[in-house]
Amino acid sequence: MRCGFCLPACPTFRETGIEAESPRGRIALMKAVADGIMNPDEAFETQMNHCLGCRACEPACPADVKYGQLLEQARDSVEKHTTTHRWWVKIARKAAFEGMFPHQNRMRLLGGGLQLYQKTGLRKLLRGAGIMKLFPPHMREMEAILPDASYKGVVEQIGTHHAAKGEQVAAVGLFRGCIMDVLFTETNKHTVELLNEAGFDVIIPETQNCCGALHAHSGEQDGAKELAKRNIAAFKAAGVDWIVSNAGGCGALLVEYDHLLQDDPQWKQDAAWFAARTIDVSQLLVRHGRLQSAAQAAAAAGAGSVIGGGLQTAGGAGCGGSCGGGVNFASGETVRITYQDSCHLRNVMRSSEAPRKLMRSVANAEFVELAEADRCCGSAGIYNLTQPQMAGQILDHKMEHVKRTGAHYLLTSNPGCLLQMKNGIEKHGMSGQMQALHVVDFLHERMCGTAGRSGSPD
Amino acid sequence: MLQDAIAGKLRAIVGAQWFKDDPESLITHSYDGTPMLQSLPDGVIYPANTDQVSSILKVLQAHRIPVVSRGSGTNLCGGTVPVQGGVVMVMHRMNQILEVDLENLTATVQPGLNTKAFITHVEGLGLFYPPDPSSMAISTIGGNIAECSGGLRGLKYGTTKDYVIGLEAVLANGEIIRTGGKLMKDVAGYDLTKLLVGSEGTLAVITEATLKLIPPPKTKMTMLAMYKDLYGAARTVSKIIENRIIPATLEFLDNPTIRVVDDFAKLGLPLDMDAILLIEQDGDAATVERDIARIADICRSENAERVSIAADEAEALKLLTARRSAFTALARLRPTTILEDATVPRSKIADMVLAINDIAKRHGVTICTFGHAGDGNLHPTATTDARDADEIHRVEEAFAEIFEAAIALGGTITGEHGVGLVKAPFLEWKVGAAGIEMMKAIKKSFDPDNILNPGKMFAKSARKRVVLSRG
Ligand SMILES: Cc1cc2nc3c(=O)[nH]c(=O)nc-3n(C[C@H](O)[C@H](O)[C@H](O)COP(=O)(O)OP(=O)(O)OC[C@H]3O[C@@H](n4cnc5c(N)ncnc54)[C@H](O)[C@@H]3O)c2cc1C
Ligand code: SF4
Ligand code: SF4
C-alpha cells in the first residue's frame, strides 16, 4: 500500500519535499533492499539515519503499517553490514551500548563524572580556555544546557518504597530510566511524590536498568532484548499493578517489549504481561489516580470545577500535608503554559489527551495549544547530535510556533525533548521570558508550591 | 542510465542538486499509489520554474527520452510509473499560490501546490474551492488537474474540470502555451483547457493554473443513515436524487469498510450495519434543515435502521476524514488492496451494487464497496494477496466483468482515477475503436515523438470483452 497518507505527517518530508525522505519512500527503500534490488549501502544507511524515528507516520497510516518495527529491522541489518562506521565510532558505540547504558551504576558514575565536571569548576575552566570551541557548535549548545547531573539516583536519594497518601488505589513500579535518573533525578522524585499524593504505592525496583530504546533505535536489537529481560524480571518480582514511565522515549519501548521478545518462547508471556501494564505517568493519573475521583466527586456535588475546566483549588493539599484527599493543583499567580508532545508518547503510547487534561486542570494556569505540537522537535534520541542540520532546521520551525504562544512554561514529557526545548529557548534568545519543564515538575511545583529544581536556570 | 552528456545538460538547467540518478532516488520514483506496479526511471528532476521545464523538455525531446510529470504520486491508475524509463519530473518545487484575485474570484497557482494547503488558504480568505479528492492532504493541484479528480463534494459542485479556467503548459517540444484565462466565457477556438484537464501528463506539462473560486456555503449539516439492508441504502441514493435533492456529499460504505474505517478512526460506527450513507447538505440554514429532514424521511422509507446527525463541525469533519481513509484502511484486511472506479448513472446504483456482489461471489473473491454514491461513482475494492497468482487472476477477471456491467448500465470504466496503465486495455470498451483513433491523433499532434508519459492511456491491444453471464 503506497497511498501516501503518511507523507504530510513526516517532518523530514516536510523539510525537504523529497520522496526518499518520506515514510513511503523509506519503506520502498527497505523493500528494495529486502527484494535485493538495492544494497544496504551507505546512501541507504544515511537515509535510515535521516529518519527521526518519531513515528508520526504510524497514527497517520490507515492501513496500520508498523513503520517503527520496519525501521528497527532496517537499522539492525545496516548495523550488521555496515562498513562505514569508522573505528572510533565503533569503539564509542561499543562503550555506550555494551559498557554504559546496560549498567545503572555505571550510568551513575558517568553522572558523577559529569557532576564533578560541572561542579568543580572544570566546566568553567574548559569553557574559559575555549576548549569547548573544539567541539562542533551543536555539541557545545547541548553541553551548555545540560542540567546539573547527579551521581545519586532516585533510589539512592529516597529509597525504594513509598506509601500512598490515604487509601491506596494501586501499587505501581516506577521506571526510573538511565538518563532520566542521572540528569533529572528531581523529576523522578517529583513523580514519586505526585503518585503518592494521587493514591499510589510506589516501588522503584533496584535491579531495573536502561530500557534499551537507544539500542533498539540504533540497530542493536540483541542488546535491547537483554535489557528488556532484566527489566521484566525486576518488575515481575516487585509485584506491581502498573509500571509507570515518565519519559515517552522509554515508555514507548517498554510497551513494545512484547513485540521485541515475540520470538522468545521463554519470555514471550512475561513480556506481554509487562507491556500490558506499562503506562505513562500522565495517563495513570488521569485514568486511575485519585485525581479523577476528585473530579468526579466535584462533578457529582455539582460544585467546583472538574478536569478539563480547571480542577478544584481548595486548600489543604500539598505533598507536605497529610490530607490524603487526592491531588489538588493550587498556586498563586496565573501563568501561561504550553506543551510539546513527546513523539513516542503520542505516536506509540498514543497518549496526547492525558497530559493536556492534567495541564488544563491546573488552577491559575492558562493552557495554550502549541501549533504543531504533534510534530517532532528534532531531538529524537541522539538525532540532534548525529544530524545537526536537519535537527536545527526542525527546531527553528518549532521555536517560531513556541514564540507565538507567549507561554511562561513550555512543558514536555520526555528528557530528550526537554533538553531540546531548553536548547531552543536558549538559541532563540527567549530564556528571559520562558522556561522549559517536565510536566511532572510543573504539576509538582503547583501542587507543593516549590520550584522544580531541574527548571532553575543555571 | 542516461548518457553522461544528457545528464550533464539536465544538471546545468536545474543545478546539480536537483537532478538525481542515485539508486535511492530512482527507487523512490518507481511507484505511485497503485498496487503491484513498479518500474525504475533513469533520472529524477525537480524544476523550479516554467523556463526550466521548457529547457528540460527541449533536451529530452532532442534525445527522444520519455518524461513522466509527477505530483505526489497518489494516483491509482499507474499514471506515474515510468514504464519506459526516462526521467520523472517532480513538480514539488513549483508550489506557490501566485495570486488570489478577490475581484474576479480566481486563484492562480503552480502545479506542485498541495491541494489541502490551497483549500485551507482560500477558506482563510472566505472563499471556496470545492474539488476535494480523498487524497487532498497529499495530492497536488497539478495532479488533480491531470487526472480531473473528483471528491466528496463532486455531486453538488462538480469536479476539477469545472474549476480550471486557464492553464499555462509546456509542450513536448518545449514551447509554452496559454489557454483560457480569468474568463467565465471564452469560445475562442477549441477548448484546450478542457482538453488538458484529465490528459494524465500525456499531452503537455502543466506549469500554472487559473482556478475558479466561489463563495462558501453559509451552513452545513452532516448525517449518517444506517442500514441492515445493503440495497435499501443503495436505493436511497437514487431516491434522494429522484426527489430533486442534490446533497453536497452522499457517500456509501459497506460493512467491511465500516469496520476497517472504525478500527482506524475509532469513531464508534455501528459495526453491525450492512451499509451506511454519509450525507452532507450545505447552503443557507433554512434550506439545509428542510433538505436534511426530507432526506431523513427518504432514508427511513427505505428501511434505515437509524438516522443520526453530527453534533458539531468537529464530528462532521471526523466522519469525512474517516471516509477519506477508507481505501487505505481496507489494507488492514489482506496484504494487497486493489481499488477500482466503476461509475454508473445515479439511478443505477442499486443495480450496480447487486452486480458487484454477484460477480465477486461467482469468482470467489472478496470485494468491498464504498464510494461517491451520489455521483454514481463506486469503488469496488478487492482485498487480496499479490503472492497468490491464482487469486489475483480471479480478481482481474472479476473486475473485467464489473467494468462490463458498468458499461452495460450506461456507465464508465473510471469516474475519477483516470486510465493510466491500469485501465488502458479497457478504454476501447468505453470510447470505441474510432474514439481511440481520434484520441491517438490528438496525442500525436501534441507529442509526435511520444515522449510525454508514454505507455499510458493507450494499450498495445485492447482487452477482449468477457462474455457476461448474469444469472
Ligand atoms: C487514499 C487515496 C484517495 C484518493 N481519492 C481520490 C478521490 O476521491 N478522487 C479522485 O479523483 N482521486 C482520488 N485519488 C487518486 C489521486 O489522489 C488523484 O488522482 C490525484 O489527483 C493525484 O494527484 P498527485 O498530485 O498525487 O498526482 P500524481 O499521482 O503524481 O500524478 C497523477 C497524473 O497527473 C500527471 N501530472 C502530475 N502533475 C502534472 C503536471 N504538472 N502536468 C501534467 N501532468 C501532470 C501525472 O503524469 C499522472 O498521470 C486517491 C488516491 C489515494 C491514494
Ligand atoms: S505507510 Fe501507510 S500511510 Fe504511508 S503509504 Fe504506506 S499505507 Fe499509506
Ligand atoms: S518516523 Fe518520523 S521522520 Fe521517520 S519516516 Fe516516520 S514520520 Fe518521518
Side-chain angles (χ1 to χ4, degrees), chain A residues 283-363:
Chain A
Q283 215 161 10
L284 184 73
L285 286 172
V286 167
R287 280 213 203 140
H288 305 283
R290 188 116 69 226
L291 208 57
Q292 198 184 32
S293 46
Q296 277 162 355
S305 42
V306 294
I307 288 184
L311 201 71
Q312 59 189 81
T313 58
C319 54
S322 56
C323 65
V327 179
N328 297 303
F329 299 125
S331 173
E333 57 183 319
T334 294
V335 291
R336 183 179 283 208
I337 56 179
T338 191
Y339 179 67
Q340 161 65 31
D341 281 283
S342 144
C343 295
H344 283 124
L345 182 57
R346 185 183 178 103
N347 301 326
V348 186
M349 299 183 88
R350 306 278 166 116
S351 174
S352 56
E353 270 311 303
R356 287 178 169 78
K357 268 195 181 151
L358 285 173
M359 287 179 284
R360 287 212 177 87
S361 68
V362 176

Side-chain angles (χ1 to χ4, degrees), chain A residues 1-6 24 27 60-63 65, chain B residues 328:
Chain A
M1 176 61 60
R2 303 142 167 171
C3 68
F5 268 122
C6 50
R24 183 175 67 175
I27 293 172
C61 172
V65 170
Chain B
T328 314

Side-chain angles (χ1 to χ4, degrees), chain A residues 50-56 67 71 75 217 343-344 380 383:
Chain A
H50 257 202
C51 168
L52 294 155
C54 70
R55 295 169 69 172
Y67 177 85
L71 180 69
R75 285 188 175 162
H217 301 157
C343 295
H344 283 124
Y383 189 90

Side-chain angles (χ1 to χ4, degrees), chain A residues 41-241:
Chain A
D41 58 4
E42 205 177 325
F44 178 75
E45 187 180 335
T46 309
Q47 190 46 262
M48 292 307 126
N49 289 339
H50 257 202
C51 168
L52 294 155
C54 70
R55 295 169 69 172
C57 41
E58 284 186 39
C61 172
D64 204 22
V65 170
K66 305 260 192 281
Y67 177 85
Q69 296 173 6
L70 296 175
L71 180 69
E72 272 167 26
Q73 283 164 17
R75 285 188 175 162
D76 199 37
S77 70
V78 164
E79 248 353 279
K80 293 207 168 99
H81 293 115
T82 189
T83 48
T84 60
H85 280 333
R86 272 167 292 173
W87 62 270
W88 59 268
V89 179
K90 282 209 163 142
I91 290 180
R93 283 178 69 96
K94 200 171 162 64
F97 289 124
E98 287 169 30
M100 246 18 252
F101 286 109
H103 306 284
Q104 203 68 243
N105 50 348
R106 291 193 202 160
M107 278 305 284
R108 265 187 302 283
L109 269 182
L110 176 71
L114 202 55
Q115 189 186 35
L116 207 67
Y117 159 75
Q118 289 170 334
K119 289 267 152 72
T120 55
L122 197 61
R123 180 188 237 176
K124 272 210 186 90
L125 198 73
L126 289 184
R127 284 183 185 166
I131 291 187
M132 283 314 293
K133 293 216 179 73
L134 293 177
F135 290 92
H138 62 277
M139 293 267 200
R140 263 183 278 149
E141 282 164 16
M142 274 327 251
E143 190 276 341
I145 50 93
L146 272 189
D148 292 346
S150 149
Y151 79 97
K152 272 183 148 188
V154 60
V155 173
E156 291 70 21
Q157 291 192 23
I158 61 173
T160 53
H161 282 69
H162 306 273
K165 296 264 171 69
E167 201 186 327
Q168 191 227 69
V169 177
V172 302
L174 174 69
F175 186 81
R176 63 181 169 180
C178 44
I179 302 196
M180 200 66 202
D181 211 35
V182 167
L183 288 179
F184 299 100
T185 325
E186 288 300 307
T187 306
N188 272 346
K189 280 172 31 190
H190 292 160
T191 306
V192 172
E193 284 168 17
L194 205 56
L195 287 169
N196 286 162
E197 204 69 36
F200 299 101
D201 273 355
V202 180
I203 300 154
I204 319 175
E206 246 182 311
T207 49
Q208 61 173 298
N209 45 240
C210 169
C211 62
L214 285 176
H215 293 73
H217 301 157
S218 312
E220 308 272 346
Q221 291 289 312
D222 295 341
K225 284 181 189 160
E226 279 318 303
L227 293 169
K229 289 175 193 168
R230 280 195 253 157
N231 281 328
I232 294 168
F235 282 89
K236 269 231 105 159
V240 292
D241 303 314

Side-chain angles (χ1 to χ4, degrees), chain A residues 1-5 7-8 13 17-20 24-25 28-29 32 37-38 41 43-44 47 59-64, chain B residues 20 24 27-29 31-34 36-38 46 70 72-74 92 134 137-138 264 324-325 327-329 331-332 337:
Chain A
M1 176 61 60
R2 303 142 167 171
C3 68
F5 268 122
L7 267 62
F13 179 70
I18 290 174
E19 178 82 17
R24 183 175 67 175
L29 293 173
I37 303 174
M38 188 182 167
D41 58 4
F44 178 75
Q47 190 46 262
C61 172
D64 204 22
Chain B
K20 297 175 194 262
E24 193 179 289
I27 284 167
T28 52
H29 293 86
Y31 56 80
D32 54 31
T34 327
M36 301 194 301
L37 297 177
Q38 190 160 22
Y46 301 79
R70 191 178 195 267
S72 296
T74 66
H92 274 171
S134 297
I138 328 151
F264 167 58
R324 292 190 172 113
S325 72
F327 160 52
T328 314
R332 287 170 184 242
T337 315

